[in-house]
Amino acid sequence: MTTTLYLVRLGEISLKGMNRDFFERKLKDNIKYKLRPYKNFFKKQKGRLFIEIDDAAPAEVVQQALSTTFGVVGYSAALKCQKDMESIKAAALTLASRSSFLEGAKTFKVETVRSDKSFPLKSYDISGELGHEILMAQPQFTVDVHHPDRIVHVEIRDQAYLYASPVPGPGGLPVGTAGRGMLMLSGGIDSPIAAYRMAKRGLRQEAVYFHAYPYTSDEAKEKVITLAKLLSPYCSGITLHVVPFTDVQLHIKTHSHEEENTLMMRACMMRIANKLAIKRNCLAVVTGESLSQVASQTLESLAFTNSMSELPVFRPLIGMDKGEIIETSRMIGTYETSILPFEDCCTIFSPKHPLVRPDKVQQTATYQAMEIEELLDQAVEKAEIFNL
Ligand code: ATP
Ligand code: MG
């Protein structure tokens, strides 16, 4: 009998020393959560995981789960069968008839590792016999032992295991291994990519969106909810806090000079993000800022906003060009939603000539004179929560 299973390769995790178990357990939990409707069974082995999954699980569901889980460096669908040449040959032929094996390939080789030395054939002979069988069944192929397009891996251990060249996974470290952060998620292109990059380093994230209804529409809020849903598989779930921001915006408008409005708004966002972060046990704030992208992201502006934060602020896009950010956004599928034309609160209250080189001392004085802290606390209390 043959069973389908998946072999998952772990990269950086397998280099971890004493903590390796912790990283592997998180990875297992994150994958298990995605496969929860189906019976599954995990087995650990140096540098990799074997997952046996109920045949009812569609291959696309498993592939989607593995290709969005950080910590997975690569994966391949594998076959497990009894340790006799008849069963092994049948499994090799099944593997070599899959479209993922056939498409775009002309050459192959078989590579065998025989851990069970009592198996009657040597590795070289097993590879030879299986290569011959595959050539008979797929005569369009030729064998190339140096640079094959495909490799059929065969391992003879407690049973026989066969798998083809792995599909690349997203890499990185499992979400939940690096603590928790509070992401400032707008409806734009950048902040979802900031979330993706921090999730890739294992940070679990909650998100905050500042919603200035009716100056920003319900569609703008729906757009952010959609973005959070799209990020959710990469983040192993995400809790979104929608904070009502209108009262804060109006207060800023009447208590600061027009050219300072954006900076004051940024300061208030940072303060609220800090308050929420502390309330939700997060140790950092994450933003999608990129150096000099807009007036509020010059070094002077960032220095001012940064001074409003008690927590470390992670800006994973700080050194990235817009083009590079867009590339990732297309890859993970957030781009089409991000470019929908609903204005967010920043654009509506934006001054015509915002300060580009603010003075930290002067702007801090403006901020304090606004006496806005109580309004910020109220906004935090009124946040609407979505578990996505
Ligand atoms: P994005 O494309 O992510 O919207 P942006 O280029 O429009 O970024 P800004 O509007 O200056 O830049 O925002 C910088 C960062 O501040 C965003 O990446 C995001 O982290 C945060 N931010 C901006 N607006 C909001 C909002 N309404 N709610 C939550 N966070 C926000
Ligand atoms: Mg924005």
Side-chain angles (χ1 to χ4, degrees):
M1 203 194 73
T2 308
T3 312
T4 299
L5 69 168
Y6 284 79
L7 183 151
V8 175
R9 281 162 203 273
L10 320 173
E12 197 173 333
I13 295 182
S14 39
L15 302 176
K16 298 278 171 206
M18 308 269 282
N19 284 336
R20 200 170 78 197
D21 256 12
F22 166 71
F23 284 86
E24 286 178 350
R25 218 170 328 115
K26 281 281 183 207
L27 178 65
K28 181 176 146 185
D29 290 348
N30 292 348
I31 299 174
K32 261 191 176 298
Y33 184 73
K34 290 180 185 168
L35 298 176
R36 66 192 177 284
Y38 308 101
K39 231 191 223 147
N40 56 69
F41 174 74
F42 281 61
K43 202 166 144 192
K44 262 190 324 193
Q45 227 189 48
K46 269 179 272 161
R48 54 197 199 170
L49 277 176
F50 277 101
I51 313 174
E52 232 173 278
I53 305 171
D54 188 348
D55 277 346
E60 309 81 65
V61 171
V62 183
Q63 283 159 16
Q64 168 72 7
L66 295 176
S67 58
T68 55
T69 304
F70 288 119
V72 173
V73 164
Y75 63 90
S76 17
L79 294 166
K80 180 168 86 168
C81 66
Q82 284 163 359
K83 261 187 300 187
D84 59 72
M85 275 315 274
E86 280 322 298
S87 309
I88 296 171
K89 277 179 193 171
L93 292 181
T94 305
L95 204 72
S97 65
R98 286 182 179 158
S99 56
S100 57
F101 187 87
L102 297 171
E103 275 163 23
K106 291 199 179 83
T107 60
F108 78 101
K109 76 167 171 176
V110 180
E111 245 180 46
T112 306
V113 176
R114 188 184 58 138
S115 308
D116 172 8
K117 300 296 178 201
S118 70
F119 192 78
L121 290 182
K122 294 226 163 79
S123 301
Y124 180 85
D125 302 321
I126 300 170
S127 298
E129 274 201 33
L130 297 180
H132 177 71
E133 289 290 323
I134 293 171
L135 278 178
M136 302 270 282
Q138 309 287 355
Q140 75 280 20
F141 270 96
T142 50
V143 171
D144 180 344
V145 290
H146 300 295
H147 304 288
D149 297 326
R150 297 280 183 271
I151 301 177
V152 176
H153 296 272
V154 181
E155 296 181 13
I156 311 288
R157 299 201 313 262
D158 53 324
Q159 298 209 52
Y161 296 81
L162 291 89
Y163 53 91
S165 316
V167 178
L173 295 172
V175 166
T177 56
R180 302 164 64 83
M182 182 60 69
L183 163 75
M184 290 167 62
L185 180 64
S186 69
I189 295 170
D190 304 329
S191 43
I193 306 312
Y196 173 84
R197 297 198 66 114
M198 293 318 302
K200 187 165 183 173
R201 294 311 296 164
L203 192 71
R204 182 172 291 288
Q205 292 165 89
E206 298 203 4
V208 52
Y209 165 60
F210 301 98
H211 188 46
Y213 187 81
Y215 300 97
T216 39
S217 61
D218 276 334
E219 282 103 325
K221 177 172 137 187
E222 286 308 316
K223 178 179 168 184
V224 174
I225 293 174
T226 305
L227 285 171
K229 280 186 189 157
L230 291 170
L231 287 169
S232 180
Y234 293 103
C235 295
S236 286
I238 194 161
T239 299
L240 173 67
H241 305 260
V242 176
V243 170
F245 204 54
T246 316
D247 293 348
V248 174
Q249 292 271 42
L250 294 173
H251 186 95
I252 292 172
K253 212 167 164 49
T254 47
H255 290 79
S256 66
H257 291 121
E258 193 193 331
E259 71 271 16
E260 292 177 308
N261 282 178
T262 305
L263 276 173
M264 292 307 128
M265 184 191 73
R266 305 287 314 154
C268 291
M269 286 183 174
M270 190 54 89
R271 297 289 313 132
I272 293 179
N274 264 255
K275 288 172 192 286
L276 257 183
I278 290 164
K279 193 170 161 187
R280 304 287 296 188
N281 290 325
C282 299
L283 290 182
V285 171
V286 178
T287 81
E289 290 160 317
S290 162
L291 190 62
S292 301
Q293 196 188 75
V294 288
S296 61
Q297 295 173 30
T298 61
L299 185 51
E300 291 84 348
S301 297
L302 291 176
F304 168 66
T305 327
N306 214 57
S307 70
M308 291 287 151
S309 183
E310 289 153 50
L311 300 174
V313 181
F314 293 156
R315 301 179 175 88
L317 312 187
I318 198 71
M320 284 175 82
D321 293 347
K322 197 75 184 185
E324 293 170 315
I325 300 169
I326 288 175
E327 206 177 294
T328 310
S329 159
R330 287 189 195 278
M331 181 189 79
I332 69 167
T334 51
Y335 183 73
E336 295 305 326
T337 304
S338 288
I339 59 170
L340 293 174
F342 309 116
E343 305 238 51
D344 78 13
C345 52
C346 326
T347 25
I348 289 161
F349 287 90
S350 285
K352 278 195 205 74
H353 302 289
L355 279 186
V356 178
R357 311 228 172 275
D359 178 79
K360 203 154 91 183
V361 176
Q362 209 172 318
Q363 265 62 64
T364 305
T366 306
Y367 179 81
Q368 279 163 357
M370 289 199 306
E371 295 186 350
I372 202 167
E373 214 61 23
E374 204 182 315
L375 219 47
L376 304 187
D377 288 329
Q378 286 168 9
V380 170
E381 288 309 315
K382 289 187 205 146
E384 197 183 350
I385 298 178
F386 298 86
N387 288 308
L388 303 167

